[in-house]
Amino acid sequence: MAAFSSEAEVYEFLGGVFRRGMGDADLVAKLEPTGIVLRITYTDPDAVITVDMPGKEVHQGAGLGPEPNVELFMTADTGNRFWLGKVVLPVALAKGQVRAKGPVAKLLKVLPLAKQMFGPYREHLESAGRTDLLNA
């Protein structure tokens, strides 16, 4: 059974980690020059998040935001486990748990910056009482 019960929960938690990241001036200063526009299409439940790093914006919903230059496709559960530090993206790509389109090498270069958001993601789940997601 999927850990997220609705698209709204995916946007609250998985979208929330990106919104908090865009609120971190130091992180944004490192991401903005990459030119990456990342679209993540989640399933179970379906949700789409587009992160415009140069534009410093997060868009939620299919068809919203600028055209991506890198796309990832995964279940929302995989996204949750990634932000908990339980999924290594290059391994997940190799195993087919995550599919990618576009210059993924560009994304992998900034991947270490994502680790800064593991703690805030966990804190958000804890403050919301979502032990189910923490233990996923």
PDB file of all heavy atoms in Angstrom, residues 69-90:
ATOM      1  N   ASN A  69      14.473  20.449 -18.346  1.00  0.00           N
ATOM      2  CA  ASN A  69      15.587  19.906 -19.128  1.00  0.00           C
ATOM      3  C   ASN A  69      16.066  18.586 -18.522  1.00  0.00           C
ATOM      4  O   ASN A  69      16.866  17.892 -19.121  1.00  0.00           O
ATOM      5  CB  ASN A  69      16.725  20.915 -19.316  1.00  0.00           C
ATOM      6  CG  ASN A  69      17.160  21.568 -18.027  1.00  0.00           C
ATOM      7  OD1 ASN A  69      17.080  20.981 -16.955  1.00  0.00           O
ATOM      8  ND2 ASN A  69      17.624  22.807 -18.125  1.00  0.00           N
ATOM      9  N   VAL A  70      15.561  18.234 -17.335  1.00  0.00           N
ATOM     10  CA  VAL A  70      15.813  16.933 -16.717  1.00  0.00           C
ATOM     11  C   VAL A  70      14.491  16.459 -16.115  1.00  0.00           C
ATOM     12  O   VAL A  70      13.792  17.239 -15.470  1.00  0.00           O
ATOM     13  CB  VAL A  70      16.881  17.005 -15.595  1.00  0.00           C
ATOM     14  CG1 VAL A  70      17.110  15.629 -14.978  1.00  0.00           C
ATOM     15  CG2 VAL A  70      18.191  17.564 -16.109  1.00  0.00           C
ATOM     16  N   GLU A  71      14.163  15.191 -16.351  1.00  0.00           N
ATOM     17  CA  GLU A  71      12.944  14.628 -15.777  1.00  0.00           C
ATOM     18  C   GLU A  71      13.254  13.334 -15.043  1.00  0.00           C
ATOM     19  O   GLU A  71      14.094  12.542 -15.485  1.00  0.00           O
ATOM     20  CB  GLU A  71      11.914  14.331 -16.865  1.00  0.00           C
ATOM     21  CG  GLU A  71      11.375  15.569 -17.546  1.00  0.00           C
ATOM     22  CD  GLU A  71      10.291  15.232 -18.555  1.00  0.00           C
ATOM     23  OE1 GLU A  71       9.150  14.975 -18.126  1.00  0.00           O
ATOM     24  OE2 GLU A  71      10.611  15.212 -19.756  1.00  0.00           O
ATOM     25  N   LEU A  72      12.580  13.144 -13.909  1.00  0.00           N
ATOM     26  CA  LEU A  72      12.660  11.903 -13.158  1.00  0.00           C
ATOM     27  C   LEU A  72      11.253  11.342 -13.001  1.00  0.00           C
ATOM     28  O   LEU A  72      10.288  12.099 -12.861  1.00  0.00           O
ATOM     29  CB  LEU A  72      13.272  12.141 -11.771  1.00  0.00           C
ATOM     30  CG  LEU A  72      14.716  12.622 -11.720  1.00  0.00           C
ATOM     31  CD1 LEU A  72      15.143  12.858 -10.274  1.00  0.00           C
ATOM     32  CD2 LEU A  72      15.656  11.623 -12.382  1.00  0.00           C
ATOM     33  N   PHE A  73      11.153  10.025 -13.005  1.00  0.00           N
ATOM     34  CA  PHE A  73       9.879   9.326 -12.856  1.00  0.00           C
ATOM     35  C   PHE A  73      10.059   8.271 -11.774  1.00  0.00           C
ATOM     36  O   PHE A  73      10.980   7.452 -11.857  1.00  0.00           O
ATOM     37  CB  PHE A  73       9.488   8.640 -14.173  1.00  0.00           C
ATOM     38  CG  PHE A  73       9.431   9.584 -15.346  1.00  0.00           C
ATOM     39  CD1 PHE A  73      10.580   9.871 -16.075  1.00  0.00           C
ATOM     40  CD2 PHE A  73       8.238  10.187 -15.716  1.00  0.00           C
ATOM     41  CE1 PHE A  73      10.546  10.746 -17.160  1.00  0.00           C
ATOM     42  CE2 PHE A  73       8.199  11.060 -16.803  1.00  0.00           C
ATOM     43  CZ  PHE A  73       9.340  11.337 -17.525  1.00  0.00           C
ATOM     44  N   MET A  74       9.189   8.318 -10.753  1.00  0.00           N
ATOM     45  CA  MET A  74       9.298   7.368  -9.647  1.00  0.00           C
ATOM     46  C   MET A  74       7.993   7.328  -8.876  1.00  0.00           C
ATOM     47  O   MET A  74       7.142   8.204  -9.043  1.00  0.00           O
ATOM     48  CB  MET A  74      10.440   7.756  -8.706  1.00  0.00           C
ATOM     49  CG  MET A  74      10.193   9.039  -7.923  1.00  0.00           C
ATOM     50  SD  MET A  74      11.607   9.600  -6.950  1.00  0.00           S
ATOM     51  CE  MET A  74      12.522  10.495  -8.192  1.00  0.00           C
ATOM     52  N   THR A  75       7.861   6.336  -7.996  1.00  0.00           N
ATOM     53  CA  THR A  75       6.706   6.328  -7.107  1.00  0.00           C
ATOM     54  C   THR A  75       6.929   7.380  -6.022  1.00  0.00           C
ATOM     55  O   THR A  75       8.069   7.738  -5.710  1.00  0.00           O
ATOM     56  CB  THR A  75       6.506   4.958  -6.434  1.00  0.00           C
ATOM     57  OG1 THR A  75       7.611   4.709  -5.561  1.00  0.00           O
ATOM     58  CG2 THR A  75       6.352   3.831  -7.455  1.00  0.00           C
ATOM     59  N   ALA A  76       5.834   7.849  -5.445  1.00  0.00           N
ATOM     60  CA  ALA A  76       5.942   8.804  -4.341  1.00  0.00           C
ATOM     61  C   ALA A  76       6.655   8.156  -3.155  1.00  0.00           C
ATOM     62  O   ALA A  76       7.397   8.826  -2.432  1.00  0.00           O
ATOM     63  CB  ALA A  76       4.557   9.310  -3.945  1.00  0.00           C
ATOM     64  N   ASP A  77       6.461   6.857  -2.967  1.00  0.00           N
ATOM     65  CA  ASP A  77       7.167   6.154  -1.888  1.00  0.00           C
ATOM     66  C   ASP A  77       8.680   6.223  -2.082  1.00  0.00           C
ATOM     67  O   ASP A  77       9.431   6.421  -1.124  1.00  0.00           O
ATOM     68  CB  ASP A  77       6.729   4.688  -1.802  1.00  0.00           C
ATOM     69  CG  ASP A  77       5.325   4.516  -1.249  1.00  0.00           C
ATOM     70  OD1 ASP A  77       4.715   5.521  -0.808  1.00  0.00           O
ATOM     71  OD2 ASP A  77       4.834   3.372  -1.260  1.00  0.00           O
ATOM     72  N   THR A  78       9.132   6.069  -3.321  1.00  0.00           N
ATOM     73  CA  THR A  78      10.568   6.171  -3.601  1.00  0.00           C
ATOM     74  C   THR A  78      11.057   7.582  -3.311  1.00  0.00           C
ATOM     75  O   THR A  78      12.129   7.779  -2.731  1.00  0.00           O
ATOM     76  CB  THR A  78      10.871   5.769  -5.060  1.00  0.00           C
ATOM     77  OG1 THR A  78      10.475   4.401  -5.238  1.00  0.00           O
ATOM     78  CG2 THR A  78      12.350   5.906  -5.387  1.00  0.00           C
ATOM     79  N   GLY A  79      10.264   8.581  -3.679  1.00  0.00           N
ATOM     80  CA  GLY A  79      10.622   9.971  -3.375  1.00  0.00           C
ATOM     81  C   GLY A  79      10.739  10.197  -1.879  1.00  0.00           C
ATOM     82  O   GLY A  79      11.684  10.839  -1.412  1.00  0.00           O
ATOM     83  N   ASN A  80       9.798   9.666  -1.121  1.00  0.00           N
ATOM     84  CA  ASN A  80       9.845   9.784   0.335  1.00  0.00           C
ATOM     85  C   ASN A  80      11.115   9.143   0.887  1.00  0.00           C
ATOM     86  O   ASN A  80      11.836   9.745   1.684  1.00  0.00           O
ATOM     87  CB  ASN A  80       8.601   9.120   0.944  1.00  0.00           C
ATOM     88  CG  ASN A  80       8.622   9.120   2.447  1.00  0.00           C
ATOM     89  OD1 ASN A  80       8.699  10.151   3.095  1.00  0.00           O
ATOM     90  ND2 ASN A  80       8.560   7.932   3.026  1.00  0.00           N
ATOM     91  N   ARG A  81      11.408   7.929   0.434  1.00  0.00           N
ATOM     92  CA  ARG A  81      12.597   7.228   0.933  1.00  0.00           C
ATOM     93  C   ARG A  81      13.881   7.953   0.518  1.00  0.00           C
ATOM     94  O   ARG A  81      14.867   7.953   1.261  1.00  0.00           O
ATOM     95  CB  ARG A  81      12.583   5.770   0.469  1.00  0.00           C
ATOM     96  CG  ARG A  81      11.518   4.954   1.196  1.00  0.00           C
ATOM     97  CD  ARG A  81      11.652   3.439   1.036  1.00  0.00           C
ATOM     98  NE  ARG A  81      12.151   2.980  -0.240  1.00  0.00           N
ATOM     99  CZ  ARG A  81      11.396   2.731  -1.310  1.00  0.00           C
ATOM    100  NH1 ARG A  81      10.102   2.885  -1.270  1.00  0.00           N
ATOM    101  NH2 ARG A  81      11.946   2.312  -2.429  1.00  0.00           N
ATOM    102  N   PHE A  82      13.880   8.600  -0.658  1.00  0.00           N
ATOM    103  CA  PHE A  82      15.052   9.387  -1.060  1.00  0.00           C
ATOM    104  C   PHE A  82      15.310  10.496  -0.044  1.00  0.00           C
ATOM    105  O   PHE A  82      16.435  10.671   0.420  1.00  0.00           O
ATOM    106  CB  PHE A  82      14.874   9.997  -2.459  1.00  0.00           C
ATOM    107  CG  PHE A  82      15.949  10.992  -2.776  1.00  0.00           C
ATOM    108  CD1 PHE A  82      17.204  10.570  -3.186  1.00  0.00           C
ATOM    109  CD2 PHE A  82      15.738  12.359  -2.609  1.00  0.00           C
ATOM    110  CE1 PHE A  82      18.231  11.480  -3.437  1.00  0.00           C
ATOM    111  CE2 PHE A  82      16.754  13.272  -2.861  1.00  0.00           C
ATOM    112  CZ  PHE A  82      18.000  12.831  -3.274  1.00  0.00           C
ATOM    113  N   TRP A  83      14.268  11.268   0.306  1.00  0.00           N
ATOM    114  CA  TRP A  83      14.450  12.397   1.215  1.00  0.00           C
ATOM    115  C   TRP A  83      14.742  11.945   2.642  1.00  0.00           C
ATOM    116  O   TRP A  83      15.238  12.721   3.447  1.00  0.00           O
ATOM    117  CB  TRP A  83      13.248  13.340   1.155  1.00  0.00           C
ATOM    118  CG  TRP A  83      13.226  14.065  -0.145  1.00  0.00           C
ATOM    119  CD1 TRP A  83      12.342  13.921  -1.166  1.00  0.00           C
ATOM    120  CD2 TRP A  83      14.184  15.026  -0.605  1.00  0.00           C
ATOM    121  NE1 TRP A  83      12.688  14.727  -2.225  1.00  0.00           N
ATOM    122  CE2 TRP A  83      13.813  15.422  -1.908  1.00  0.00           C
ATOM    123  CE3 TRP A  83      15.329  15.595  -0.039  1.00  0.00           C
ATOM    124  CZ2 TRP A  83      14.531  16.355  -2.643  1.00  0.00           C
ATOM    125  CZ3 TRP A  83      16.042  16.536  -0.779  1.00  0.00           C
ATOM    126  CH2 TRP A  83      15.653  16.900  -2.059  1.00  0.00           C
ATOM    127  N   LEU A  84      14.478  10.683   2.943  1.00  0.00           N
ATOM    128  CA  LEU A  84      14.871  10.124   4.245  1.00  0.00           C
ATOM    129  C   LEU A  84      16.311   9.614   4.213  1.00  0.00           C
ATOM    130  O   LEU A  84      16.828   9.157   5.223  1.00  0.00           O
ATOM    131  CB  LEU A  84      13.924   8.987   4.648  1.00  0.00           C
ATOM    132  CG  LEU A  84      12.504   9.415   5.009  1.00  0.00           C
ATOM    133  CD1 LEU A  84      11.609   8.181   5.170  1.00  0.00           C
ATOM    134  CD2 LEU A  84      12.497  10.258   6.275  1.00  0.00           C
ATOM    135  N   GLY A  85      16.947   9.680   3.037  1.00  0.00           N
ATOM    136  CA  GLY A  85      18.328   9.217   2.900  1.00  0.00           C
ATOM    137  C   GLY A  85      18.440   7.717   2.697  1.00  0.00           C
ATOM    138  O   GLY A  85      19.517   7.144   2.827  1.00  0.00           O
ATOM    139  N   LYS A  86      17.331   7.069   2.336  1.00  0.00           N
ATOM    140  CA  LYS A  86      17.307   5.610   2.192  1.00  0.00           C
ATOM    141  C   LYS A  86      17.436   5.137   0.743  1.00  0.00           C
ATOM    142  O   LYS A  86      17.526   3.946   0.496  1.00  0.00           O
ATOM    143  CB  LYS A  86      16.007   5.046   2.781  1.00  0.00           C
ATOM    144  CG  LYS A  86      15.852   5.298   4.268  1.00  0.00           C
ATOM    145  CD  LYS A  86      14.527   4.760   4.779  1.00  0.00           C
ATOM    146  CE  LYS A  86      14.357   5.018   6.264  1.00  0.00           C
ATOM    147  NZ  LYS A  86      13.046   4.523   6.727  1.00  0.00           N
ATOM    148  N   VAL A  87      17.431   6.066  -0.206  1.00  0.00           N
ATOM    149  CA  VAL A  87      17.554   5.716  -1.625  1.00  0.00           C
ATOM    150  C   VAL A  87      18.737   6.478  -2.189  1.00  0.00           C
ATOM    151  O   VAL A  87      18.811   7.702  -2.065  1.00  0.00           O
ATOM    152  CB  VAL A  87      16.271   6.078  -2.411  1.00  0.00           C
ATOM    153  CG1 VAL A  87      16.499   5.947  -3.912  1.00  0.00           C
ATOM    154  CG2 VAL A  87      15.104   5.221  -1.976  1.00  0.00           C
ATOM    155  N   VAL A  88      19.661   5.766  -2.789  1.00  0.00           N
ATOM    156  CA  VAL A  88      20.807   6.374  -3.464  1.00  0.00           C
ATOM    157  C   VAL A  88      20.403   6.499  -4.938  1.00  0.00           C
ATOM    158  O   VAL A  88      20.198   5.484  -5.614  1.00  0.00           O
ATOM    159  CB  VAL A  88      22.068   5.509  -3.285  1.00  0.00           C
ATOM    160  CG1 VAL A  88      23.245   6.109  -4.034  1.00  0.00           C
ATOM    161  CG2 VAL A  88      22.387   5.337  -1.811  1.00  0.00           C
ATOM    162  N   LEU A  89      20.254   7.720  -5.406  1.00  0.00           N
ATOM    163  CA  LEU A  89      19.696   7.954  -6.740  1.00  0.00           C
ATOM    164  C   LEU A  89      20.431   7.207  -7.857  1.00  0.00           C
ATOM    165  O   LEU A  89      19.774   6.558  -8.669  1.00  0.00           O
ATOM    166  CB  LEU A  89      19.603   9.447  -7.037  1.00  0.00           C
ATOM    167  CG  LEU A  89      18.841   9.798  -8.313  1.00  0.00           C
ATOM    168  CD1 LEU A  89      17.406   9.289  -8.275  1.00  0.00           C
ATOM    169  CD2 LEU A  89      18.864  11.292  -8.541  1.00  0.00           C
ATOM    170  N   PRO A  90      21.758   7.239  -7.932  1.00  0.00           N
ATOM    171  CA  PRO A  90      22.411   6.500  -9.021  1.00  0.00           C
ATOM    172  C   PRO A  90      22.100   4.995  -8.980  1.00  0.00           C
ATOM    173  O   PRO A  90      21.917   4.368 -10.027  1.00  0.00           O
ATOM    174  CB  PRO A  90      23.905   6.763  -8.794  1.00  0.00           C
ATOM    175  CG  PRO A  90      23.950   8.061  -8.053  1.00  0.00           C
ATOM    176  CD  PRO A  90      22.734   8.048  -7.172  1.00  0.00           C
TER     177      PRO A  90
END
